[in-house]
Short mmCIF file of all heavy atoms in Angstrom, two decimals:
data_model
loop_
_atom_site.label_atom_id
_atom_site.label_comp_id
_atom_site.label_asym_id
_atom_site.label_seq_id
_atom_site.Cartn_x
_atom_site.Cartn_y
_atom_site.Cartn_z
N GLY A 1 127.77 27.83 173.61
CA GLY A 1 128.79 27.07 174.33
C GLY A 1 129.60 26.13 173.48
O GLY A 1 130.39 25.33 174.02
N THR A 2 129.48 26.18 172.15
CA THR A 2 130.25 25.28 171.30
C THR A 2 131.74 25.56 171.46
O THR A 2 132.16 26.67 171.74
CB THR A 2 129.85 25.43 169.83
OG1 THR A 2 129.98 26.81 169.45
CG2 THR A 2 128.43 24.98 169.59
N GLY A 3 132.54 24.51 171.26
CA GLY A 3 133.99 24.66 171.35
C GLY A 3 134.55 24.38 172.72
O GLY A 3 135.75 24.52 172.93
N LEU A 4 133.70 23.99 173.67
CA LEU A 4 134.15 23.70 175.03
C LEU A 4 134.15 22.19 175.26
O LEU A 4 133.09 21.55 175.21
CB LEU A 4 133.25 24.38 176.06
CG LEU A 4 133.33 25.91 176.14
CD1 LEU A 4 132.23 26.44 177.05
CD2 LEU A 4 134.70 26.36 176.63
N GLU A 5 135.31 21.62 175.50
CA GLU A 5 135.37 20.22 175.91
C GLU A 5 134.87 20.10 177.35
O GLU A 5 134.91 21.05 178.11
CB GLU A 5 136.81 19.71 175.83
CG GLU A 5 137.39 19.67 174.44
CD GLU A 5 138.80 19.10 174.46
OE1 GLU A 5 139.02 18.09 175.16
OE2 GLU A 5 139.67 19.68 173.79
N LYS A 6 134.43 18.88 177.71
CA LYS A 6 133.85 18.68 179.03
C LYS A 6 134.79 17.90 179.94
O LYS A 6 135.62 17.10 179.50
CB LYS A 6 132.49 17.98 178.93
CG LYS A 6 131.43 18.84 178.25
CD LYS A 6 130.07 18.17 178.27
CE LYS A 6 129.01 19.08 177.63
NZ LYS A 6 127.66 18.45 177.65
N SER A 7 134.61 18.15 181.23
CA SER A 7 135.38 17.47 182.26
C SER A 7 134.47 17.23 183.44
O SER A 7 133.37 17.80 183.53
CB SER A 7 136.58 18.33 182.66
OG SER A 7 137.30 17.76 183.72
N THR A 8 134.89 16.39 184.37
CA THR A 8 134.13 16.19 185.61
C THR A 8 134.82 16.95 186.73
O THR A 8 136.01 17.28 186.63
CB THR A 8 134.06 14.70 185.98
OG1 THR A 8 135.39 14.25 186.30
CG2 THR A 8 133.49 13.88 184.84
N PRO A 9 134.10 17.23 187.82
CA PRO A 9 134.75 17.91 188.95
C PRO A 9 135.99 17.18 189.45
O PRO A 9 137.01 17.81 189.75
CB PRO A 9 133.65 17.96 190.00
CG PRO A 9 132.37 17.98 189.22
CD PRO A 9 132.65 17.09 188.04
N SER A 10 135.94 15.85 189.52
CA SER A 10 137.10 15.12 190.02
C SER A 10 138.26 15.20 189.03
O SER A 10 139.43 15.36 189.44
CB SER A 10 136.74 13.66 190.30
OG SER A 10 136.28 13.01 189.12
N GLU A 11 137.97 15.08 187.74
CA GLU A 11 139.03 15.22 186.74
C GLU A 11 139.66 16.60 186.77
O GLU A 11 140.86 16.77 186.52
CB GLU A 11 138.46 14.95 185.33
CG GLU A 11 138.08 13.50 185.08
CD GLU A 11 137.29 13.33 183.79
OE1 GLU A 11 136.75 14.33 183.27
OE2 GLU A 11 137.20 12.18 183.32
N ALA A 12 138.85 17.61 187.12
CA ALA A 12 139.34 18.98 187.19
C ALA A 12 140.04 19.29 188.50
O ALA A 12 140.58 20.40 188.67
CB ALA A 12 138.18 19.95 186.98
N GLY A 13 140.01 18.36 189.43
CA GLY A 13 140.67 18.59 190.70
C GLY A 13 139.93 19.52 191.62
O GLY A 13 140.54 20.19 192.47
N LEU A 14 138.60 19.58 191.49
CA LEU A 14 137.80 20.45 192.35
C LEU A 14 137.30 19.67 193.56
O LEU A 14 136.97 18.49 193.46
CB LEU A 14 136.60 21.01 191.58
CG LEU A 14 136.90 21.84 190.32
CD1 LEU A 14 135.62 22.41 189.75
CD2 LEU A 14 137.90 22.95 190.60
N SER A 15 137.21 20.35 194.68
CA SER A 15 136.66 19.76 195.89
C SER A 15 135.16 19.57 195.72
O SER A 15 134.42 20.54 195.53
CB SER A 15 136.94 20.66 197.09
OG SER A 15 136.11 20.33 198.18
N GLU A 16 134.70 18.34 195.80
CA GLU A 16 133.27 18.09 195.61
C GLU A 16 132.43 18.62 196.76
O GLU A 16 131.34 19.15 196.53
CB GLU A 16 133.03 16.61 195.33
CG GLU A 16 133.76 16.18 194.06
CD GLU A 16 133.10 15.01 193.33
OE1 GLU A 16 131.90 14.78 193.52
OE2 GLU A 16 133.82 14.35 192.56
N PRO A 17 132.89 18.53 198.03
CA PRO A 17 132.11 19.21 199.09
C PRO A 17 132.03 20.71 198.88
O PRO A 17 130.98 21.32 199.10
CB PRO A 17 132.89 18.85 200.36
CG PRO A 17 133.60 17.59 200.04
CD PRO A 17 133.97 17.69 198.59
N ALA A 18 133.13 21.33 198.43
CA ALA A 18 133.10 22.77 198.17
C ALA A 18 132.16 23.09 197.01
O ALA A 18 131.47 24.13 197.01
CB ALA A 18 134.51 23.29 197.88
N LEU A 19 132.13 22.22 196.01
CA LEU A 19 131.21 22.43 194.88
C LEU A 19 129.77 22.34 195.34
O LEU A 19 128.93 23.16 194.94
CB LEU A 19 131.49 21.41 193.78
CG LEU A 19 130.58 21.48 192.55
CD1 LEU A 19 130.65 22.85 191.89
CD2 LEU A 19 130.95 20.38 191.55
N ALA A 20 129.46 21.37 196.20
CA ALA A 20 128.10 21.25 196.71
C ALA A 20 127.70 22.50 197.49
O ALA A 20 126.57 22.99 197.36
CB ALA A 20 127.98 20.01 197.61
N ALA A 21 128.63 23.04 198.27
CA ALA A 21 128.34 24.27 199.03
C ALA A 21 128.13 25.45 198.10
O ALA A 21 127.24 26.28 198.32
CB ALA A 21 129.49 24.55 200.00
N LEU A 22 128.93 25.54 197.05
CA LEU A 22 128.78 26.61 196.07
C LEU A 22 127.42 26.54 195.38
O LEU A 22 126.72 27.55 195.24
CB LEU A 22 129.90 26.54 195.04
CG LEU A 22 129.78 27.46 193.81
CD1 LEU A 22 129.82 28.93 194.22
CD2 LEU A 22 130.88 27.15 192.79
N LEU A 23 127.02 25.35 194.96
CA LEU A 23 125.76 25.22 194.23
C LEU A 23 124.57 25.53 195.13
O LEU A 23 123.60 26.17 194.69
CB LEU A 23 125.63 23.81 193.67
CG LEU A 23 126.64 23.44 192.57
CD1 LEU A 23 126.44 22.00 192.12
CD2 LEU A 23 126.53 24.40 191.39
N LYS A 24 124.63 25.11 196.38
CA LYS A 24 123.52 25.42 197.30
C LYS A 24 123.43 26.92 197.52
O LYS A 24 122.34 27.51 197.48
CB LYS A 24 123.71 24.71 198.63
CG LYS A 24 122.56 24.98 199.61
CD LYS A 24 122.73 24.27 200.92
CE LYS A 24 121.47 24.42 201.80
NZ LYS A 24 121.05 25.82 201.98
N ALA A 25 124.59 27.56 197.73
CA ALA A 25 124.58 29.01 197.94
C ALA A 25 124.12 29.75 196.69
O ALA A 25 123.42 30.76 196.78
CB ALA A 25 125.97 29.48 198.36
N ALA A 26 124.51 29.25 195.53
CA ALA A 26 124.08 29.88 194.28
C ALA A 26 122.57 29.81 194.12
O ALA A 26 121.92 30.79 193.72
CB ALA A 26 124.78 29.21 193.09
N GLU A 27 121.99 28.65 194.43
CA GLU A 27 120.53 28.52 194.32
C GLU A 27 119.83 29.39 195.36
O GLU A 27 118.85 30.07 195.05
CB GLU A 27 120.13 27.06 194.49
CG GLU A 27 118.64 26.82 194.30
CD GLU A 27 118.29 25.36 194.15
OE1 GLU A 27 119.09 24.51 194.56
OE2 GLU A 27 117.20 25.07 193.60
N ASP A 28 120.34 29.37 196.59
CA ASP A 28 119.71 30.16 197.66
C ASP A 28 119.77 31.65 197.39
O ASP A 28 118.93 32.41 197.89
CB ASP A 28 120.39 29.85 199.00
CG ASP A 28 120.11 28.44 199.51
OD1 ASP A 28 119.20 27.79 198.96
OD2 ASP A 28 120.81 28.00 200.44
N SER A 29 120.75 32.09 196.61
CA SER A 29 120.90 33.52 196.34
C SER A 29 120.17 33.97 195.07
O SER A 29 120.33 35.10 194.62
CB SER A 29 122.38 33.88 196.22
OG SER A 29 122.98 33.23 195.11
N GLY A 30 119.37 33.08 194.49
CA GLY A 30 118.56 33.47 193.34
C GLY A 30 119.31 33.48 192.02
O GLY A 30 118.93 34.20 191.09
N SER A 31 120.37 32.68 191.90
CA SER A 31 121.14 32.65 190.65
C SER A 31 120.30 32.12 189.50
O SER A 31 119.48 31.23 189.67
CB SER A 31 122.37 31.77 190.81
OG SER A 31 123.21 32.23 191.85
N ALA A 32 120.54 32.67 188.32
CA ALA A 32 119.91 32.15 187.10
C ALA A 32 120.83 31.19 186.37
O ALA A 32 120.37 30.26 185.71
CB ALA A 32 119.51 33.29 186.18
N GLY A 33 122.14 31.42 186.46
CA GLY A 33 123.08 30.55 185.77
C GLY A 33 124.44 30.57 186.43
O GLY A 33 124.88 31.60 186.94
N LEU A 34 125.11 29.42 186.44
CA LEU A 34 126.45 29.28 187.00
C LEU A 34 127.24 28.36 186.08
O LEU A 34 126.76 27.28 185.70
CB LEU A 34 126.39 28.70 188.41
CG LEU A 34 127.71 28.33 189.08
CD1 LEU A 34 128.54 29.57 189.37
CD2 LEU A 34 127.46 27.56 190.38
N VAL A 35 128.45 28.77 185.71
CA VAL A 35 129.31 27.99 184.82
C VAL A 35 130.71 27.94 185.42
O VAL A 35 131.23 28.96 185.90
CB VAL A 35 129.37 28.61 183.41
CG1 VAL A 35 130.40 27.91 182.54
CG2 VAL A 35 128.00 28.55 182.74
N LEU A 36 131.34 26.76 185.37
CA LEU A 36 132.72 26.58 185.83
C LEU A 36 133.54 25.93 184.73
O LEU A 36 133.12 24.94 184.12
CB LEU A 36 132.77 25.68 187.08
CG LEU A 36 132.12 26.22 188.36
CD1 LEU A 36 132.12 25.13 189.42
CD2 LEU A 36 132.83 27.47 188.85
N LEU A 37 134.73 26.50 184.47
CA LEU A 37 135.70 25.92 183.57
C LEU A 37 137.01 25.73 184.34
O LEU A 37 137.42 26.62 185.10
CB LEU A 37 136.00 26.83 182.36
CG LEU A 37 134.84 27.32 181.50
CD1 LEU A 37 135.38 28.20 180.37
CD2 LEU A 37 134.06 26.16 180.91
N ARG A 38 137.65 24.58 184.17
CA ARG A 38 138.97 24.36 184.78
C ARG A 38 139.85 23.68 183.76
O ARG A 38 139.43 22.74 183.08
CB ARG A 38 138.85 23.47 186.03
CG ARG A 38 140.23 23.32 186.75
CD ARG A 38 140.25 24.14 188.00
NE ARG A 38 141.57 24.41 188.52
CZ ARG A 38 142.23 23.68 189.43
NH1 ARG A 38 141.69 22.55 189.87
NH2 ARG A 38 143.39 24.08 189.88
N HIS A 39 141.08 24.17 183.67
CA HIS A 39 142.05 23.65 182.70
C HIS A 39 141.47 23.69 181.29
O HIS A 39 141.71 22.81 180.46
CB HIS A 39 142.48 22.22 183.06
CG HIS A 39 143.01 22.07 184.45
ND1 HIS A 39 143.88 22.99 185.03
CD2 HIS A 39 142.78 21.12 185.40
CE1 HIS A 39 144.17 22.61 186.26
NE2 HIS A 39 143.51 21.49 186.53
#
């Protein structure tokens, strides 16, 4: 993952309630890894 600058969900303009729903669904579906990049 080198070469990737970091941001926060709010800085990226992502809906935090939608992010919470995504993460819960990802865990419930047996995900091993989830990555989000914006801008």
